[in-house]
Amino acid sequence: MIAISLVLSCVGLWLVAVAMLKHYRQVWGGTPRQPVPTILRVAGVLVILAGASANVRAFGFAMGLVSWILCYLPACGVAVVAGLAYWPTFRARRSD
Amino acid sequence: MSWLHSWCGLVFGWLLFGILLTGSIAVFYDEITYWLTPEMRGGPLPERHQVMHLGWTYLDAKAPQSRLWKITLPTTREPFLGVSWRTAEGRTVNQRLDPETGAQIKRDSEGGSFYLKYHEGLHIDRDKNPLGLLVVGATGVAMLVACISGIIVHKRIFKDFFVLRPSASAQRSMLDLHNVLGVMALPFHLVMAYTGLVLLYWLYVPAAVQALYHGDAPKFRTEAITQEFKTVVGKPAGPAGLMGPDQVLERAELYLGPGKMAYVYVRDPHRANAMVEAYRMRDDQVSQQVNQVALNGVTGQEVRVLVKRSLPFRVQAFAAALHWVEWGGNAARWGYFLAGLISSTMVGMGLAVFVEKRARQARRPLAWLRVIGAVNVAAVGGLCVACIAYLWAERLISVSVHGRAAWSVAVFFWVWVVTAIHAGVRPSRRAWAEQFGLTAMLCLGAPFLGGLIVRDLEAADGVRVAVDLTLIGLGLVFAGMSAGLVLKRPASTVRGLKLVEA
């Protein structure tokens, strides 16, 4: 359950990140048209919340929420940022 | 505000890095103690009744006249039986026993609690001198100031939420990393700094007690932070006697839950007013103050029950538990460990950015910046070396050496002094690379001292193998950082950074 929570948190944060223009361009190229960024943001938040609830299910309410907010979400955030930092840009991938 | 963030971060960052790093390591202090004590056996624990019996018999034979006994039952984290008693002179004697044989584990060592002592008070004995606690408290306040001022000065906090540019200039990529680690783990930074202060509120904020209670601390404790108990049965005046360990365990776990008694105090054993106080484990609740029960030591009847705890008491217990993380098992501890390393790296990056930024801006070599650069290396790289050197000292110093624990601690501080001298005489970049390289070598070598890892693997000792593998993993990370510093574009090509290299 903790692994599921971590994966969901990473996916959710990644969706929120690619909803931002800078990272959207990096991953897919071009400029997103509405409502794509909004959909990505909402989907991201929902998946993040699913990650939180998975952790709550694993640990119980207090321990699950505290450990998720203090530890797992930041760790997932750092992992997503590191992933995006080394993610090949859309242009670079197309030239390959 | 930028000035406040920079200088507060720099001055307290030197201390803060050490406090955060040792705090992160201290999350696993029990596991480190176990790793450093080959006499302790892992594997399944013996039956609790048997262990309780062992401790009880030991104390009965060793200290029958004592006014206070304590028996701590073994857990998977602390697989030894802890016994202690108070002597006639008022001194407390602590001993660790093998939970199966009852043999005393004679090893003069602070084990993993060394890191805990450094984390909470810079390893200054808190009973003799509160200076360490006060300095750590001031550093905690500075961390809160740096966090809040950091949020204010970080204008693009939302736009750059996920931005890390490793291929940009050294200053840019380090600042990005500092920002990302700071923002992502902001709840952890704030909560740890705040709860660290709440833990010792009576020391850090004495003014409230002075102002509201005119310094009457007992009255303050009674009104604000007390636990209310109800005495059920008066103290008996019958003949002296003591119920047996089996009875104590059964009666206590009736109230605390099966398998949940952590430790027990026996007051006035073998006297008519004998009393047994049993305390519950803290592993399944976010509260540092746990349930307890007091039993009549002769009849086993409940003599004191908890009626209620005041709200401030519960809040403080919750805050303390957030800091101590005795709950949640290994998963929560690993989370805290990683988040602690994120905090430490954030502070280390902040220190490096301070020098890098000013070195770029400088038009001539600045001696003070050179000094700050050297102190940065000593505070970050030197502490990493010293932390692992302590483990080496614990492994290499013979058990028969008198004052062994003090020697290991001395090794930690002397190694730190040597790394500080090294940081002062070597060019900054090389000093960083060499100290990280040395940390890597020490981390990679520690599991192989005396064929330790081979023995751990053969014994399939999960905890010891986990410590071995963590050390190897950390060693590889430090080796990567050292290699990165050696191989990456030298900082001297950047204008003005020559002074750091000089």
Side-chain angles (χ1 to χ4, degrees):
Chain A
M1 220 43 181
I2 297 167
I4 293 170
S5 163
L6 290 175
V7 171
L8 288 174
S9 304
C10 283
V11 172
L13 283 167
W14 188 82
L15 287 170
V16 172
V18 294
M20 297 167 96
L21 182 62
K22 188 178 208 157
H23 301 295
Y24 185 93
R25 278 186 184 152
Q26 181 193 354
V27 175
W28 284 305
T31 308
R33 269 190 289 177
Q34 277 299 350
V36 174
T38 310
I39 291 170
L40 285 171
R41 252 181 232 121
V42 171
V45 170
L46 290 175
V47 176
I48 289 172
L49 290 176
S53 50
N55 206 50
V56 167
R57 198 176 161 80
F59 279 104
F61 183 74
M63 288 193 284
L65 209 57
V66 166
S67 60
W68 184 77
I69 291 172
L70 295 187
C71 312
Y72 299 144
L73 191 63
C76 291
V78 172
V80 167
V81 171
L84 281 171
Y86 293 99
W87 190 285
T89 58
F90 180 71
R91 197 172 293 170
R93 277 182 287 136
R94 281 189 67 179
S95 64
D96 288 344
Chain B
M1 199 56 83
S2 180
W3 182 90
L4 178 68
H5 182 73
S6 301
W7 285 97
C8 178
L10 178 78
V11 173
F12 286 95
W14 292 325
L15 279 169
L16 191 56
F17 179 84
I19 293 165
L20 289 171
L21 184 70
T22 50
S24 310
I25 300 171
V27 168
F28 288 117
Y29 78 96
D30 278 333
E31 286 76 5
I32 294 170
T33 302
Y34 177 63
W35 186 80
L36 290 171
T37 316
E39 297 88 352
M40 283 189 202
R41 280 185 292 183
L45 294 169
E47 211 266 321
R48 289 166 68 79
H49 280 275
Q50 182 194 327
V51 182
M52 186 74 183
H53 217 274
L54 202 64
W56 200 273
T57 318
Y58 186 88
L59 285 170
D60 222 358
K62 199 89 177 174
Q65 297 301 318
S66 170
R67 301 291 302 268
L68 182 67
W69 294 350
K70 184 185 178 188
I71 299 172
T72 308
L73 293 177
T75 62
T76 46
R77 290 193 75 202
E78 295 174 288
F80 60 85
L81 169 64
V83 288
S84 59
W85 67 90
R86 192 172 294 161
T87 62
E89 301 82 44
R91 199 165 50 85
T92 304
V93 181
N94 296 302
Q95 284 183 0
R96 295 180 295 178
L97 309 179
D98 185 303
E100 265 182 42
T101 62
Q104 194 190 337
I105 299 168
K106 287 180 186 169
R107 180 173 280 257
D108 181 16
S109 164
E110 287 192 9
S113 60
F114 163 76
Y115 297 108
L116 196 61
K117 285 180 187 171
Y118 187 90
H119 173 71
E120 66 178 16
L122 307 178
H123 207 274
I124 298 171
D125 188 350
R126 57 189 286 178
D127 296 329
K128 290 179 186 160
N129 188 350
L131 181 69
L133 295 178
L134 291 170
V135 171
V136 171
T139 312
V141 173
M143 186 175 172
L144 282 175
V145 170
C147 283
I148 293 163
S149 59
I151 296 166
I152 295 167
V153 298
H154 189 7
K155 294 186 185 74
R156 293 163 58 90
I157 192 165
F158 292 111
K159 276 190 172 178
D160 288 350
F161 203 86
F162 295 99
V163 172
L164 176 64
R165 288 158 284 196
S167 52
S169 68
Q171 186 197 334
R172 171 49 57 196
S173 54
M174 283 197 292
L175 187 59
D176 278 349
L177 192 57
H178 174 71
N179 289 340
V180 162
L181 298 178
V183 172
M184 286 292 172
L186 189 62
F188 183 81
H189 306 320
L190 290 174
V191 167
M192 286 307 114
Y194 179 70
T195 54
L197 294 169
V198 170
L199 271 174
L200 296 173
Y201 64 91
W202 46 269
L203 180 69
Y204 298 143
V205 200
V209 181
Q210 283 293 338
L212 297 171
Y213 292 90
H214 307 291
D216 189 353
K219 192 181 176 195
F220 160 70
R221 276 196 290 272
T222 309
E223 285 189 9
I225 56 162
T226 192
Q227 306 182 81
E228 256 183 60
F229 292 100
K230 188 174 81 179
T231 303
V232 179
V233 184
K235 284 180 182 174
L242 193 59
M243 58 175 168
D246 291 339
Q247 260 182 299
V248 169
L249 196 62
E250 278 163 22
R251 295 284 301 163
E253 295 199 338
L254 209 62
Y255 298 99
L256 304 177
K260 282 293 173 191
M261 192 186 87
Y263 54 95
V264 62
Y265 284 100
V266 183
R267 297 185 187 277
D268 296 313
H270 299 301
R271 292 175 181 85
N273 59 338
M275 192 161 83
V276 174
E277 288 171 13
Y279 290 77
R280 195 178 184 280
M281 289 178 180
R282 298 186 178 118
D283 59 346
D284 58 354
Q285 59 191 69
V286 191
S287 177
Q288 201 63 13
Q289 295 299 329
V290 290
N291 209 354
Q292 53 173 288
V293 62
L295 305 168
N296 181 311
V298 181
T299 62
Q301 271 186 304
E302 188 184 346
V303 292
R304 206 176 61 188
V305 285
L306 182 69
V307 179
K308 72 164 189 179
R309 291 188 172 116
S310 65
L311 183 64
F313 187 97
R314 280 184 281 154
V315 171
Q316 201 266 349
F318 176 73
L322 283 184
H323 201 95
W324 276 98
V325 67
E326 291 193 37
W327 46 270
N330 283 331
R333 275 189 284 278
W334 270 105
Y336 266 63
F337 178 67
L338 292 175
L341 291 186
I342 288 174
S343 292
S344 313
T345 314
M346 184 261 299
V347 173
M349 281 295 147
L351 293 172
V353 167
F354 183 96
V355 172
E356 186 83 17
K357 183 179 167 187
R358 279 153 189 82
R360 270 173 162 264
Q361 290 167 347
R363 294 185 179 174
R364 59 189 172 80
L366 298 172
W368 65 269
L369 207 55
R370 171 76 183 91
V371 172
I372 287 175
V375 178
N376 280 353
V377 177
V380 177
L383 191 89
C384 294
V385 176
C387 280
I388 308 299
Y390 170 78
L391 295 181
W392 275 67
E394 275 287 319
R395 298 293 320 175
L396 293 177
I397 297 174
S398 167
V399 182
S400 58
V401 171
H402 181 68
R404 189 179 172 281
W407 275 105
S408 302
V409 174
V411 166
F412 171 87
F413 286 106
W414 278 112
V415 166
W416 202 0
V417 168
V418 171
T419 57
I421 295 167
H422 171 263
V425 297
R426 295 288 287 165
S428 180
R429 195 180 179 83
R430 278 181 221 162
W432 279 110
E434 285 161 3
Q435 296 203 6
F436 282 158
L438 182 58
T439 310
M441 282 194 281
L442 291 174
C443 280
L444 292 169
F448 296 96
L449 282 173
L452 189 66
I453 191 168
V454 179
R455 200 179 57 196
D456 297 343
L457 285 169
E458 277 174 358
D461 192 333
V463 176
R464 287 200 174 102
V465 170
V467 177
D468 291 335
L469 294 179
T470 306
L471 278 168
I472 291 171
L474 287 172
L476 293 174
V477 170
F478 276 106
M481 290 199 294
S482 179
L485 281 162
V486 172
L487 299 173
K488 213 179 171 186
R489 182 170 57 104
S492 56
T493 57
V494 179
R495 182 173 64 87
L497 209 64
K498 278 179 184 166
L499 65 110
V500 182
E501 292 288 307

